[in-house]
Amino acid sequence: MDLNNFQSLAFFWPEILLTGAVLLIVVIDLVAAEKRFLASVALLGCAGALIAAIDLYGAPQGWLFHRMIVLDRFSLFFKVVSLVAASATIWMSMGSDEIRRVPQGEYYTLLLTCTLGMFFMASASNLLTAYLSLELVSLASYVLTGFLPHNRRSSEAALKYLIYGGVASGVMIYGMSWIFGIAGSLDYAAIQQALASKADLNRTALYIAFVFILAGFGYKIVFVPFHMWSPDVYQGAPTPFTAFLSVASNAAGIAILIRFFFPVLSRPIASGEWAFISGVEWPHVLLFASMVTMTLGNLCALNQSNLKRMLAYSGIAHAGYMLMGLAILNNEGLRAILFYIAVYLIMNLGAFLVVAMMANATGSEEIGSYRGLAWRGAVVPAACLTVFLFSLTGLPPFAGFIGKFFLFAAVLREGGAFVILAVVGILNSVVSLYYYAKIVKVMFLEEPDPSDPAIAVAANGLSLLIPLAVLTVVLGVYFSPLAQYAGGSLNFFVR
Amino acid sequence: MEHVLTYMTFIPVAGMIVVLLLPAASHNLIRWVSAAFTVPPLLMACWLFVNFDPANPGFQFVEKAPWIPAYNIQYFVGVDGLSISMVLLTALLCFLCIFASWGIDRGVKGYFALFLLLDAGMMGVFVALDFFLFFIFWEVMLLPMYFLIGIWGGPRREYAAIKFFLYTLLGSGLMLLAILALYFTSEPHTFDMTVLMAQANRYGTQVLPLWPFNELRWGFQHVVWMALFVGFAIKIPAFPFHTWLPDAHVEAPTAISVILAGILLKMGTYGILRTNYPMLPAATADLAFWCLGALGAWNIIYGALCAMAQKDLKKLVAYSSVSHMGYVMLGMATFTTQGINGAVLQMFNHGTITGMLFLLVGVIYDRAHHREIEGFGGLAAVMPVYTGVTALAFFASMGLPGLSGFISEVLVLLGAWQKYPVLAIIAASGVILTAGYLLWTIQRVWLGPTNEKYRALPEINGREMFTLVPLGAIVVLVGVYPSVVLDLLRASLDQINQIVIPHL
C-alpha cells in the first residue's frame, strides 16, 4: 500500500484528532476565563486518538503520504505507548501544584504537540520525517522543561537541554547527509536497497554516518556518552513532564532507532534473524554502549540525594538494559524491548507519580524528606513506591522482573560473547537494588522525626497510583497478554 | 486433599490478606489470626507425613497446570523424599515462630503479614518443580525478609538487611542465568525440573588440557553448575560467601533468626541436591570434591573457630550454623548412601536444633536485654528449667549420642571416611572444636558463681516452653529412632545419587 496525500488521511485519524485537540485548546484558552477544562479537553483528545489508533489495527499496512511515514503495528504500539503516557501525565498534572502555577493552555498544547511528534518518530520512513519529528518533540520538550516560572533550576535545565539537543541534532543531520550521499535517497527502503546492492561501498563513510546518526538518536534515549543533559533536565523540569520525558521520549527514541537500524541498516534473513549490511558491525558498538550505559547509570545513581535525579540516572541504566535487546540483532531481542517499554512505562510513571504527590505534600524531592513516610500517614504511596522500585530492580513477582527476564533470555539465547553482556546486566541489577532499596529503607526502616509533617494523600494521585501498582504486580504473575501484544507489535512494514 | 501442596503454600497468603484487613490496633487479634493461618499447613504436613509413600522415589502429590503456555511455564508442584522433610520442617517452624513473635509490639500488623508471606515463599521453594516457579518463590521470600530484619531488627538492622538482600540477589541473578541456560538447551525449551533431569545426559563436557591439572573437564555444564552453585552457596552459607549471615542473625528478631537458620539456609543445600545433582551430574561428579567436600570440611573448622571467638551468644550460634552446614556439604559430596542421607538428615536436625538455640537466646535476651557471654554466669541456679532445656539443645548441637545431631553427623562421617578419609579426619576434629566452644559457653553462662545482677530473672514462661517443647521432642525422637525421618528420605536420595554415580 503506497498512498498519496488525500488517500492517506483515512489512516491518519490519531494524528488528526490530536492536532484538533491542540487547536481546540488554543482556542478555548483564548476565549474562556475558566482554565480548568483545558486538561479535560487534552485528556479527551488523547482518548479519541487512542481509540482511533486501536481502530487502525484492522487497517492494511503500508506507506502514507508518498512514503513519508509508514503505518504498521510497530508504529501503532508506540502510538499507544505515547498516548497512555500522555494521558497519565495529564492526570498527574491536574493534581500537581507545580503545574497549577503555569499557563495551562500553553502547557497542554505543548504536551500534546510533543505526543504528536512521537507519533511521527515511531512511523517515520524517510530521513526527513525522522529528523522533523525528532525536532518537533525536542522543541516542545525544551520549552516544557523550562516551564516553571521563577525557577532557576528549571531555566538552567532548559538551556542545557537546548544546547545539548542542538548539538546532537546538528551532528545527526550531518550524518544523515552522509547517508544521502552514499545511498542517493532519503527513503528508508531505498537506502536499504542501495546499501544492499552496492558492491563498492565506502565502509568508513558508512560507519561515520551511522555513528553520527546514533548520536542524535542516542541523545533521545539517553545512552552514554549522550546522557549528560538528562539528570539536570529530569531534576529541573516539572515532575509530571519529567515522568512523560522518562517514558514516552525514551520509547519514541527506541522506536526511531529500531526502525532505522533494523529495516535500514540490516536485512532480515530467516525468521527472527537479521544480518547487518556490508561490514558495518553496528551491533558491537551497541553491545559496548549498552554495557557502559547501564554501568555508568547505576554507579552514578548510587550517590544521589534527590529522588528525581536518581530516577534520571536509573533511567540511563534502563536505557542500557533496553540496548541489550538491540545489540543482539534478532526479533527475540526486539520483542523483549517492546515488552520492557510497556512495563517500564507503568512502573516509571508510578514512581514519578509518587514523587509528584510527595512534592505536593512536602515541597521537597530530596530523599531525606521521605524519612519514615510509611509512618506519617502515607503508607499507601510508600507501599506503591516500594512496588515500583523493586519492580525497577527486577525482582519477582513484579512486572519488571518479567521484562528483564525476557531481555536476559534473549541475550543468553544468542550465546557467545553476549553471555558477558548478560552477566554485566545481572551485576548491574544487584547494584541498582542498593539505591532503590535505599529509598525503601528511608521510607519504612527509618523513624520519622517529630518535626516531620504528617502527609495528606490526595485522592487524584491515588486514583492513578493504585491501578499502576496493581498492574505492576499483576503483570508480574500473569503477563501472557502483554507479551503477546508486544510480540504482535513487532511487525515492521518492510518492503 | 488433592491440592494439599497448593493449600499449604497459599493458605499463609490468604492469612496475609486477612491480617492486612484487620484493624491495626487490635494486636492480639492479629497474633491469633496469624497463628490460626499457620495451623492448617501444619496439620496438612502431618497428613502428608502419614500419607507419603517412602518406597516411591518419585514425586508425589503432584499438581500440574499450564501457567504461561507461550513459554512453556507451568504451575507444577510435588514432593519427594528430599523435599518432604523440608516441608515438614517449614510448616512446624513457621507455626512455632508465630508464638515466638508474640512479644513484637511495634508495627504488629505489618510484621505478621510479612511473616505469613515469608512462610508462603519458603513453602513454595520446597514444593516447586518448575524452575521458573522455583525462582519466583525464591525471590518472593527475599522481600519480607528484608523488611522483617530491617524494621524489627536490632541496632544495625538496616546494614544487615541490605547486606542480606544484596548478597542473595547476586546469587539469584547468577541462578537466573543458569536457569535460562538450561531452558534454552533443553528440547523442547522447558522449565519443568523433571524433564530437565531426564535430559541430564545431553550436555557434553569438553576436556580442556589445563596445566597443571591435565585432563580437566570443563564445559557448558560446569559453567552452569558453578552459576547455580554460587547462588546456592550464598544461602548455605559456604565460605567465603558467609559474611552476611552473622550480621543478619544478630540483628534479626528472634523468630526471624529461627526461620533464617532453620529454613532459609537449607534452601541452599536443598537447591544443590534438587538441581545441580540430577540436572548436571557430570559436572557434579567433577566439582563435588572441591566445591562441596573440601569447602564443607573447611566450613566445619572455620565456623567452629569463629564461633569460639565470639563474645555475643547469638553470633556464636550463627557461626555454629556455618559450621554445621559444613556437614551437609561434606555429606552430599560423598555420593554414598550414608553420606547423602546423613546430609539431608542433618539439614532437618540442624533446623530443629538451631531453632531451639535461637529461641533460647531470645528468651535470655528478652530478660537481660543483652547477649554478652561474659555478662552472665551461674544462670543455672536462677533458671533451672531454662538451663535444662538449654543443655538439651547444646548437647544435641554438639552431637551427643542419643540426640538427633549425633545420628546425622555420624552418617556424614561414615560416608566421608569411605570416600575421602582425610576430609573425614578434618571434619571429625571439628566435632571436638564444637564441643569445646559449646561446653565453654555453658560454663561461662550457666555454671559458676551467679551474677548478682541477674539473681531475679524470671524463669522461662509457658509460651516460650510451648515453642521449645515440640522441637526438643523431635530432637530426642530422631536421636533414638532416626528411621522416622530417614525412611522418608532414603528412596529419593538413592535415586538422585544413582544419577551422579556413573559419572564419577
Side-chain angles (χ1 to χ4, degrees), chain A residues 395-396 409 412 445 447 477 479, chain B residues 67-68 106 139 150 169 177 184:
Chain A
L395 288 180
L412 216 58
L445 272 49
E447 304 272 338
V477 186
F479 49 83
Chain B
W67 176 18
I68 300 142
R106 192 169 57 90
E139 298 276 294
L169 187 71
L177 290 183
F184 284 121

Side-chain angles (χ1 to χ4, degrees), chain A residues 390 395-398 401 405-406 409 412-413 422-423 426-427 430 433-434 437 440-441 445-447 477 479-480, chain B residues 67-68 71 106 132 135-136 139-140 143 146-147 150-151 158 162 165-166 169-170 173 177 180-181 184 191:
Chain A
F390 282 146
L395 288 180
F398 305 121
F401 164 69
F405 173 78
F406 283 151
L412 216 58
R413 193 182 177 184
V423 172
I426 289 284
L427 291 177
V430 179
L433 174 68
Y434 183 79
V440 176
K441 184 195 92 170
L445 272 49
E446 288 185 6
E447 304 272 338
V477 186
F479 49 83
S480 294
Chain B
W67 176 18
I68 300 142
Y71 298 87
R106 192 169 57 90
F132 192 84
F135 187 79
I136 298 264
E139 298 276 294
V140 160
L143 302 176
Y146 170 72
F147 288 110
I151 300 181
E158 289 164 17
I162 193 72
F165 206 171
L166 287 174
L169 187 71
L170 176 67
L177 290 183
L180 286 171
F184 284 121
F191 290 102

Side-chain angles (χ1 to χ4, degrees), chain A residues 81-369:
Chain A
V81 165
S82 322
L83 284 172
V84 171
S87 316
T89 307
I90 294 166
W91 191 256
M92 217 185 282
S93 306
M94 286 161 87
S96 164
D97 283 347
E98 272 176 334
I99 302 301
R100 206 158 292 143
R101 288 195 287 269
V102 304
Q104 302 283 299
E106 284 92 330
Y107 177 79
Y108 290 110
T109 307
L110 285 168
L111 196 64
L112 292 191
T113 312
C114 206
T115 314
L116 189 63
M118 285 166 186
F119 280 21
F120 292 116
M121 272 173 86
S123 52
S125 68
N126 186 302
L127 284 178
L128 200 62
T129 16
Y131 181 75
L132 287 176
S133 61
L134 209 72
E135 283 302 289
L136 182 59
V137 173
S138 298
L139 285 172
S141 306
Y142 303 149
V143 184
L144 283 171
T145 302
F147 221 60
L148 295 179
H150 314 300
N151 183 328
R152 291 188 53 158
R153 198 178 276 289
S154 175
S155 319
E156 184 195 323
L159 187 65
K160 255 187 195 157
Y161 199 9
L162 177 67
I163 293 172
Y164 273 108
V167 172
S169 98
V171 170
M172 179 177 69
I173 199 159
Y174 185 54
M176 286 176 174
S177 67
W178 280 59
I179 290 276
F180 181 64
I182 295 165
S185 173
L186 288 173
D187 186 83
Y188 277 10
I191 297 173
Q192 206 265 353
Q193 253 167 12
L195 295 185
S197 59
K198 266 192 190 172
D200 56 337
L201 210 56
N202 187 335
R203 285 177 190 171
T204 322
L206 196 58
Y207 213 86
I208 289 172
F210 107 78
V211 169
F212 280 0
I213 293 181
L214 196 63
F217 296 159
Y219 134 92
K220 265 272 161 278
I221 309 169
V222 269
F223 65 75
V224 179
F226 313 111
H227 67 285
M228 263 83 107
W229 59 273
S230 106
D232 291 309
V233 170
Y234 275 42
Q235 193 182 349
T239 307
F241 181 64
T242 312
F244 183 70
L245 208 56
S246 75
V247 290
S249 179
N250 206 314
I254 295 261
I256 201 169
L257 185 74
I258 291 178
R259 203 185 278 287
F260 184 71
F261 275 78
F262 279 78
V264 179
L265 283 188
S266 43
R267 56 199 164 82
I269 42 174
S271 69
E273 297 298 322
W274 297 76
F276 39 78
I277 288 174
S278 58
V280 181
E281 299 189 0
W282 56 266
H284 291 94
V285 177
L286 287 186
L287 171 84
F288 187 68
S290 160
M291 288 204 228
V292 175
T293 302
M294 61 173 110
T295 310
L296 199 110
N298 275 324
L299 292 182
C300 290
L302 285 177
N303 266 332
Q304 300 306 324
S305 63
N306 181 295
L307 190 50
K308 266 162 96 180
R309 212 174 163 80
M310 193 215 85
L311 284 172
Y313 279 112
S314 99
I316 298 175
H318 283 277
Y321 297 136
M322 288 186 228
L323 278 181
M324 289 201 320
L326 278 179
I328 53 177
L329 199 66
N330 62 24
N331 279 346
E332 190 87 13
L334 291 181
R335 218 171 279 141
I337 293 181
L338 295 193
F339 185 85
Y340 201 86
I341 284 174
V343 167
Y344 185 66
L345 169 85
I346 295 165
M347 54 196 186
N348 225 30
L349 276 177
F352 275 109
L353 180 57
V354 177
V355 175
M357 287 167 72
M358 291 309 119
N360 274 353
T362 64
S364 166
E365 287 144 6
E366 293 299 310
I367 293 174
S369 71

